Amino acid sequence: MSIDHQHTGADQALRQRADGLDAQDPLAPYRDHFIGTDTPLSYLDGNSLGRPLKRTADDIAAFIRDEWGGRLIRGWDEKWLGLPQAIGDQLGRAVLGAAPGQTIIADSTTVVLYKLIRAALAAVADPERNELVLDTENFPTDRYLVEGIALEEGLTLRWIETDPAAGVTVEQVREATGPRTAVVLLSQIAYRSGHLADLAGITKAVHDAGALVVWDLCHSAGSVEINLDGADVDFAAGCTYKYLNGGPGSPAFAYVNQRHLPSLNQPIWGWMGRKDAFDMAAGYEPAPGIRGFLSGTPAIFGMLAMQGTLDLIEEASMAAIRTKSEMLTAFAVEIFDAWLAPLGARLASPREPGERGSHITVDHPDFTKATVEDLWDGDVIPDFRAPHGIRVGLSPLSTSFGEVLQGMAAIRDRLQG
């Protein structure tokens, strides 16, 4: 949708501001690396599924032709078996603040989180620690998993009641944890509001209570700076199809702090996680280190696409990406104040850029799933979060300021019309 008609003075000022921000953006050239950025479509859902890189088509074609087609089964011994850890190490270096040997690509986020939570519970020696702590506004998968594990293991759930427009604080975690806490599961970025949790502060609070923490990094990996080693995080998981552009259903990643690796006891024993997997021997002996976290055959196809993004991130730096992320969401809030707040909309995200990830949520009583479907029909693609939220996700490497303005204009027009 064009916003070049019937400009008010405020509209003209926002248009000029968007043009100026794009002209001064040092990461603007990276937008050309992505498919579809040369079209009129406004993509405001990069926090659900990232755009594909142009090089991905060539990378996959070359893999089919030269590796799968050319080397066939030999590819496993020559390269593929090492990819989960090789890509994991690059992810750790470029995005997670993790030294080599602690990150691996495996499974889906749901399966990875299940394995990590069970591994964390196995690492808790005190039988009196029988409580799992989580928050009421965490992503459904996280809540369902913990509820299921508590049922399996006869554990108690302790819920942190969270403001849907905010997120979990250090103080709340200190209040919820104590001598009975075993494991705490939280998301670094709240999937609704975009609230950015104090990862280091909360991790310390959990450790002060004598417990272990598992972090869900799905909405933070590739959008904010992370230092897992520096914060002494125990375990972490995340998906790769959002800001890492791995594609629909691309495999997740797992991080296990090196101090837990020697005694790692994950619950899904499969042949690929066994020492000397191709011996096909009787009995399960886990592979040493992070490779012991694997279970079944790695999804090689699914991890090819993210390599291109990791290369771009290393070139651009997470510091520069985070700076642009804050600028993008600040501009979106500026537009919200000018156009949507006067129409009765409410910002359901923190106002300070440093307190949120790379998305904001706007609530209005008139917003429904049909609202977003109408926007999609007009090539403006945000996300809907019930009951009345439109989530605007901004991927720093592929999103322009003009694209944000165009999409927010369509949301305004939908409210007015």
Side-chain angles (χ1 to χ4, degrees):
M1 176 180 291
S2 172
I3 62 170
D4 292 332
H5 62 288
Q6 301 296 318
H7 278 311
T8 66
D11 290 355
Q12 291 283 15
L14 284 171
R15 175 77 266 173
Q16 291 171 2
R17 178 148 168 72
D19 291 343
L21 288 168
D22 280 327
Q24 297 166 14
D25 176 17
L27 298 186
Y30 286 93
R31 182 170 159 82
D32 293 336
H33 287 274
F34 294 87
I35 293 174
T37 54
D38 56 348
T39 72
L41 183 145
S42 178
Y43 191 53
L44 306 180
D45 206 7
N47 62 322
S48 288
L49 177 67
R51 289 182 182 268
L53 285 169
K54 293 175 181 176
R55 68 168 267 189
T56 299
D58 294 332
D59 289 347
I60 290 177
F63 174 81
I64 294 172
R65 181 186 63 247
D66 301 329
E67 294 190 37
W68 181 10
R71 303 308 297 159
L72 295 169
I73 195 68
R74 293 172 293 187
W76 285 111
D77 291 324
E78 294 170 353
K79 182 179 180 182
W80 304 339
L81 283 174
L83 277 182
Q85 190 165 341
I87 299 176
D89 283 345
Q90 185 181 15
L91 176 63
R93 179 177 69 246
V95 176
L96 303 180
Q102 300 175 104
T103 309
I104 199 158
I105 309 299
D107 309 308
S108 68
T109 305
T110 301
V111 174
V112 166
L113 279 171
Y114 176 81
K115 291 161 79 171
L116 287 175
I117 296 165
R118 291 291 303 269
L121 287 169
V124 175
D126 185 355
E128 296 299 313
R129 291 189 175 272
N130 59 3
E131 289 187 352
L132 293 170
V133 175
L134 68 162
D135 69 288
T136 55
E137 290 299 317
N138 209 335
F139 192 75
T141 276
D142 302 58
R143 290 184 275 114
Y144 302 158
L145 277 172
V146 174
E147 289 172 330
I149 291 171
L151 187 63
E152 289 175 351
E153 299 295 311
L155 302 174
T156 299
L157 296 180
R158 182 174 291 276
W159 293 90
I160 297 174
E161 293 289 337
T162 310
D163 180 352
V168 179
T169 66
V170 174
E171 292 73 22
Q172 287 177 311
V173 172
R174 289 199 182 278
E175 290 175 4
T177 55
R180 302 189 70 83
T181 309
V183 175
V184 178
L185 170 66
L186 297 171
S187 289
Q188 187 181 14
I189 292 178
Y191 83 101
R192 289 184 187 273
S193 69
H195 174 269
L196 175 61
D198 181 352
L199 182 140
I202 288 176
T203 298
K204 184 179 186 304
V206 173
H207 289 169
D208 287 347
L212 300 177
V213 66
V214 179
W215 282 101
D216 182 334
L217 308 179
C218 283
H219 278 91
S220 53
S223 69
V224 302
E225 293 182 273
I226 303 171
N227 188 354
L228 295 180
D229 286 353
D232 201 26
V233 167
D234 298 295
F235 304 92
C239 64
T240 62
Y241 43 78
K242 301 183 191 301
Y243 300 106
L244 301 178
N245 309 95
S250 58
F253 64 85
Y255 164 89
V256 179
N257 191 296
Q258 59 184 353
R259 72 176 180 280
H260 295 302
L261 286 173
S263 57
L264 177 67
N265 184 11
Q266 63 97 350
I268 304 179
W269 293 359
W271 77 297
M272 197 55 68
R274 189 191 188 279
K275 176 184 178 182
D276 301 322
F278 285 92
D279 284 355
M280 310 292 182
Y284 184 80
E285 298 178 60
I290 191 65
R291 190 162 190 87
F293 193 82
L294 292 179
S295 298
T297 304
I300 302 303
F301 235 124
M303 64 182 75
L304 294 177
M306 74 184 79
Q307 289 183 288
T309 297
L310 291 176
D311 289 345
L312 291 185
I313 290 173
E314 288 202 280
E315 181 181 295
S317 85
M318 274 309 306
I321 289 169
R322 176 55 178 161
T323 296
K324 183 175 179 183
S325 168
E326 292 186 1
M327 292 178 69
L328 283 167
T329 58
F331 186 51
V333 170
E334 184 180 340
I335 300 168
F336 163 85
D337 287 336
W339 287 348
L340 303 184
L343 298 175
R346 181 179 70 90
L347 183 66
S349 299
R351 277 203 160 265
E352 290 299 317
E355 295 179 4
R356 60 180 177 247
S358 208
H359 73 265
I360 66 166
T361 297
V362 178
D363 284 348
H364 192 282
D366 291 343
F367 286 160
T368 65
K369 193 172 188 296
T371 307
V372 171
E373 290 172 351
D374 287 345
L375 290 166
W376 284 21
D377 287 343
D379 276 351
V380 173
I381 307 180
D383 201 358
F384 179 69
R385 283 292 172 256
H388 301 297
I390 287 182
R391 196 173 64 171
V392 177
L394 309 172
S395 188
L397 288 177
S398 60
T399 306
S400 70
F401 293 91
E403 188 175 11
V404 178
L405 186 68
Q406 177 177 318
M408 296 287 278
I411 295 172
R412 175 199 61 182
D413 293 348
R414 183 65 177 77
L415 269 180
Q416 290 177 329

